[in-house]
Amino acid sequence: MSISDIPAKMLAAQVVEFNQPHKIHTIPTPTSLGSHDLLLKTAVASLCHTDSMVTAGRMGTPLPCTASHEGTGTVIATGASVLPNDFKPGDRVMAGLPRSRCANCADCRGPDKLKHYCAHVQGYVGVTLDGAFAEYMVVDARESSRIPDSVAWETAAPLACAGVTVWGGLLRADLKAGETVALVGAGGGLGHLGCRFAKALGLRVVGIEAREEALRLARECGADVVVDARKGDEEVVKEVQKVTEGRGADATLNLSDADTAAGLACKVTKMHGLMVQIAQPPSVSIPMEQFIFRDIRVHGSLLASRTDAQRMLDLVAAENITVKTNPFFGLRQLPRLIELAQSGQMAGKGVLVMDEGEEAGVRERLGVRS
């Protein structure tokens, strides 16, 4: 299939009005590509917590906007500057979020790990630009990654944001094998991946959660110790110190946007340790004594570089890491997926299988009946 063979119209789920359900309707298929763009036939797309921030109008999204920033697909066509050694038609791709960085600012000219912080980027797929809840999508080849043959579509899609985000946080924690990382929100979409990545890196994992389903998932994903946050901060700190010889975690990732989560993340971290803030609540509240009397350093973290994203995918392939998914088939099932996500009963990530040609394979891998 080439760009001349694709249909003129496609089905898409768009945010057309804030705080309202997505509109699932037919829109024109993108046919104009920039020099560094890829046109993908979407295979599997995933739902992320940030999608709810988009629909609430918190991300500065121009409307209408096709939703989902966690997408995978097959290359249909490439822009004029995309080299065949990078991507060619038929390649399996995990979509990168940024599109058209400026290439001139300090971040773009700086270390690779900072390039995705470009403040002059054109926009972000599924956040301020059209995303993956459509039959076709356009992404930037310079930000996207090749999916290893052994990594399934339904695994790769959630990695496009949830995966690279928690992976980037672990890299920022800069821990050595044998050290302890605590994850506040260890059984959520990002958290269960954090557990699996951390174990693959040789870290000891303390998972902190407040829901039965999430506590169970953290255990299933390899957390060495699981602590119920509903016991209250004082008891949680005691339990973490008990399994860390009284020190606390060497570093902690906060993946929860609960009001008190950042404070708890600091409390379970050792003196002079690092807390990496990944969750994106409207404000982050940390008790003063954590900064002043315990010298806890706080580092924000957003996504990861393309190089690090490819490292993550290679690790997923090498370690046979999978994502806990809740699959739905066809874009018109999006309301059911969102209903499950909002119920508080979903364990792991919700994914939509967009390409009918991939449905049978996904059903077989996940043991889902037709």
Side-chain angles (χ1 to χ4, degrees):
M1 180 183 290
S2 69
I3 198 166
S4 60
D5 297 322
I6 64 174
K9 299 283 188 178
M10 67 176 184
L11 196 64
Q14 293 191 308
V15 180
V16 298
E17 185 178 352
F18 294 129
N19 299 308
Q20 295 297 320
H22 295 85
K23 184 176 182 180
I24 302 174
H25 62 147
T26 300
I27 65 172
T29 305
T31 55
S32 177
L33 297 182
S35 61
H36 295 284
D37 286 342
L38 301 174
L39 178 67
L40 306 182
K41 179 175 175 57
T42 311
V44 174
S46 181
L47 186 70
C48 178
H49 174 68
T50 304
D51 286 305
S52 65
M53 298 167 66
V54 170
T55 58
R58 288 179 51 193
M59 304 301 289
T61 305
L63 302 182
C65 184
T66 302
S68 181
H69 53 278
E70 294 183 336
T72 56
T74 303
V75 177
I76 299 300
T78 64
S81 297
V82 179
L83 300 176
N85 287 341
D86 291 329
F87 295 103
K88 61 185 182 302
D91 283 346
R92 300 168 70 239
V93 171
M94 181 183 78
L97 272 67
R99 278 189 63 191
S100 300
R101 287 183 290 104
C102 75
N104 294 315
C105 68
D107 283 333
C108 284
R109 290 184 284 106
D112 185 62
K113 65 181 181 180
L114 299 179
K115 294 184 187 300
H116 60 282
Y117 281 95
C118 172
H120 310 290
V121 66
Q122 177 186 340
Y124 296 89
V125 169
V127 179
T128 57
L129 299 171
D130 286 337
F133 281 158
E135 294 176 275
Y136 296 87
M137 63 182 300
V138 176
V139 300
D140 193 323
R142 297 165 296 181
E143 312 295 343
S144 300
S145 305
R146 193 188 298 267
I147 301 172
D149 291 342
S150 63
V151 177
W153 291 116
E154 63 273 16
T155 291
L159 298 180
C161 177
V164 297
T165 296
V166 74
W167 174 251
L170 285 169
L171 296 182
R172 290 183 185 279
D174 195 27
L175 297 176
K176 302 178 182 64
E179 292 186 313
T180 299
V181 63
L183 304 176
V184 176
L190 278 74
H192 85 287
L193 290 172
C195 290
R196 286 179 166 158
F197 291 159
K199 293 305 296 180
L201 293 172
L203 302 177
R204 191 166 185 235
V205 179
V206 176
I208 301 170
E209 260 297 351
R211 295 184 298 117
E212 291 299 331
E213 298 86 354
L215 289 163
R216 184 166 53 251
L217 183 57
R219 289 190 191 95
E220 292 173 0
C221 293
D224 298 283
V225 179
V226 175
V227 182
D228 192 336
R230 293 172 294 188
K231 296 179 179 180
D233 286 12
E234 184 176 345
E235 186 60 32
V236 171
V237 171
K238 284 182 182 179
E239 293 196 27
V240 174
Q241 289 185 342
K242 187 166 85 171
V243 298
T244 56
E245 300 178 343
R247 294 190 309 272
D250 294 296
T252 301
L253 273 57
N254 180 33
L255 309 167
S256 169
D257 58 5
D259 291 342
T260 59
L264 176 60
C266 289
K267 291 175 184 178
V268 301
T269 305
K270 72 179 184 182
M271 184 84 78
H272 315 299
L274 175 68
M275 191 278 274
V276 182
Q277 177 69 25
I278 292 177
Q280 299 177 0
S283 61
V284 177
S285 178
I286 299 172
M288 169 274 297
E289 58 268 21
Q290 300 300 317
F291 285 121
I292 306 302
F293 293 98
R294 299 191 63 246
D295 186 32
I296 299 299
R297 294 166 292 129
V298 177
H299 195 155
S301 183
L302 175 71
L303 300 173
S305 70
R306 180 191 182 190
T307 300
D308 287 332
Q310 193 66 59
R311 281 180 57 200
M312 174 200 68
L313 284 168
D314 292 341
L315 179 74
V316 168
E319 299 291 332
N320 195 28
I321 294 172
T322 58
V323 180
K324 172 65 175 177
T325 56
N326 302 265
F328 290 80
F329 298 89
L331 190 53
R332 295 196 184 279
Q333 295 299 308
L334 177 59
R336 290 184 57 212
L337 169 53
I338 293 174
E339 181 181 6
L340 176 62
Q342 293 176 344
S343 72
Q345 303 301 308
M346 185 171 74
K349 294 284 291 183
V351 300
L352 272 182
V353 181
M354 304 287 297
D355 186 344
E356 291 182 359
E358 301 296 338
E359 181 175 333
V362 175
R363 286 186 182 275
E364 182 178 358
R365 286 191 293 271
L366 297 181
V368 179
R369 295 179 180 178
S370 299

